Amino acid sequence: MTTKIRTLIADDEEGPREQLRAALARLAPELDIVAASVNGCDAWDDCLEYEPQLCFLDIRMPGLSGLEVAQRLAQLAEPPQVVFVTAYGDHALSAFDAGAVDYVMKPVEDGRLEQCLQRLRQRQALHAVQDADGGTGDGLAAAAAMPAATLELLRQLLPVQRPAMRPIQASQGREIQLIAPDDILFFQSDSRYTRVVHRDGEAWIRTALKELLGDLDPGVFWQVHRSVLVNSRFIASATRVDENTMQLSLKGSAEKLPVSRQFQGLFKGQ
C-alpha cells in the first residue's frame, strides 16, 4: 500500500483555499491534506507540527508571506517541496520553472495544476533513482533542499528592509512594561502564554510565538524549537547531547534551551 504524501495548503482566502483542496483531491489522490492554513504564521506553525512533504503556499498572506514561509522551510533538516499559488503576476515567478519550486496562478486551473503535479512526480522519480537504496517511491514525496540559486531568488523577492522591531509590551499589574528586542534573550511558549526572558528578568505575554515572527528580524531571532525563539546574539554554544538531542547555552542565563531535530542544521560548525 502506497503511503500518502503529507501535504499542506495555505491561503488567507477561504474560496481559493477550498478550490485548491478540491482540485488536489480530484487530480492527486495520493496526497493527504494534513493542514489548510489561513495565514503565513499558521502555515509555518503547521509545518513544524505536521512536517508536510509538499506545501502549496499563497505568496501574499498576512503575518508571514508565502515567500517568507518558504525561506524558513528551506532551512529545515528535511524541507518539503514548495509550490507557490498567486493571483498576481509577481515578477520573476517564471524563474521557478527550472528550480525546486513551482507556481500556479489563481483561480487554479486543472490543466496548469496537473502540469505542476507531473513536474513534482518526475522530480521525485529522479530522486528515487538517485537514492535507490533508501527511496520510498511515494509519488510526490520530496527529500531535496532548495538549490542555492532558488534561495537567493527568494531573498530578492522579499522586502529589502523590514520595519524596525517594536518593543514587546508586557502587563505587570497596572503597569505596561516595554521590553526592547535587543534586551530579549529568548521567547518560550506554552499553550496559552509566551514567556519573555530578558536582561533584567522575565515577563509573560498572551501573544503566541507564531504571531511574533512577523515582527522580529529572522536574522537575529532564530526559531530552534516549535516553542522556542532565541536571540542569536546571546547564544554561547550548541551542545549535542546524543544523536537526536541538542541544547543551547546562553550568555547571561543558566537555562539550557532545546533544539528540535528540524533546526539542528543551524548549528553545523565551520
Side-chain angles (χ1 to χ4, degrees):
M1 180 176 178
T2 302
T3 302
K4 289 224 171 186
I5 306 308
R6 298 186 306 277
T7 303
L8 175 143
I9 59 178
D11 195 313
D12 59 313
E13 296 180 90
E14 182 178 4
R17 188 172 64 245
E18 293 308 311
Q19 181 204 12
L20 177 59
R21 188 206 293 266
L24 290 174
R26 288 195 310 273
L27 301 175
E30 68 267 45
L31 302 186
D32 176 20
I33 308 298
V34 295
S37 311
V38 299
N39 58 55
C41 294
D42 281 353
W44 170 243
D45 197 53
D46 288 340
C47 283
L48 296 183
E49 179 175 359
Y50 297 107
E51 299 188 3
Q53 297 156 292
L54 174 64
C55 293
F56 288 82
L57 304 175
D58 185 18
I59 283 186
R60 304 194 183 198
M61 293 186 288
L64 294 174
S65 70
L67 294 171
E68 289 173 306
V69 174
Q71 189 177 32
R72 290 173 181 272
L73 289 173
Q75 298 173 356
L76 296 179
E78 297 179 3
Q81 289 275 23
V82 170
V83 176
F84 289 122
V85 184
T86 178
Y88 307 92
D90 290 277
H91 68 288
L93 278 178
S94 59
F96 291 129
D97 284 338
V101 189
D102 206 339
Y103 73 95
V104 291
M105 299 288 290
K106 291 192 287 187
V108 175
E109 298 179 352
D110 281 6
R112 178 65 181 90
L113 182 58
E114 180 60 39
Q115 182 184 48
C116 169
L117 291 167
Q118 287 300 332
R119 287 178 178 175
L120 291 167
R121 291 179 179 117
Q122 291 167 5
R123 192 175 296 138
Q124 171 58 19
L126 176 61
H127 172 74
V129 170
Q130 293 173 334
D131 191 24
D133 292 336
T136 62
D138 290 337
L140 300 178
M146 294 184 198
T150 304
L151 281 175
E152 180 57 32
L153 182 56
L154 287 178
R155 295 188 184 98
Q156 292 174 13
L157 289 172
L158 291 172
V160 176
Q161 288 188 333
R162 176 179 291 269
M165 294 185 291
R166 295 174 294 178
I168 299 297
Q169 299 188 27
S171 298
Q172 300 281 353
R174 296 183 178 181
E175 182 179 85
I176 302 296
Q177 181 183 10
L178 270 62
I179 308 168
D182 287 345
D183 292 335
I184 296 171
L185 278 66
F186 64 91
F187 297 92
Q188 189 172 42
S189 284
D190 60 21
S191 58
R192 296 183 60 190
Y193 298 98
T194 297
R195 179 179 171 227
V196 185
V197 177
H198 53 93
R199 292 179 190 268
D200 300 318
E202 63 180 61
W204 292 84
I205 58 177
R206 290 188 176 90
T207 306
L209 196 68
K210 64 182 180 181
E211 295 171 8
L212 292 169
L213 294 175
D215 295 327
L216 298 171
D217 184 345
V220 176
F221 285 90
W222 296 359
Q223 187 152 12
V224 296
H225 189 279
R226 192 177 175 213
S227 63
V228 178
L229 194 64
V230 62
N231 188 333
S232 60
R233 294 165 180 164
F234 288 97
I235 297 176
S237 64
T239 303
R240 186 170 296 282
V241 179
D242 55 41
E243 185 177 350
N244 298 312
T245 307
M246 179 178 283
Q247 61 185 19
L248 300 181
S249 297
L250 302 183
K251 303 168 188 175
S253 175
E255 293 192 51
K256 306 292 185 181
L257 299 180
V259 181
S260 68
R261 173 186 53 80
Q262 297 161 304
F263 294 103
Q264 291 182 11
L266 290 170
F267 307 97
K268 297 178 180 178
Q270 294 180 328

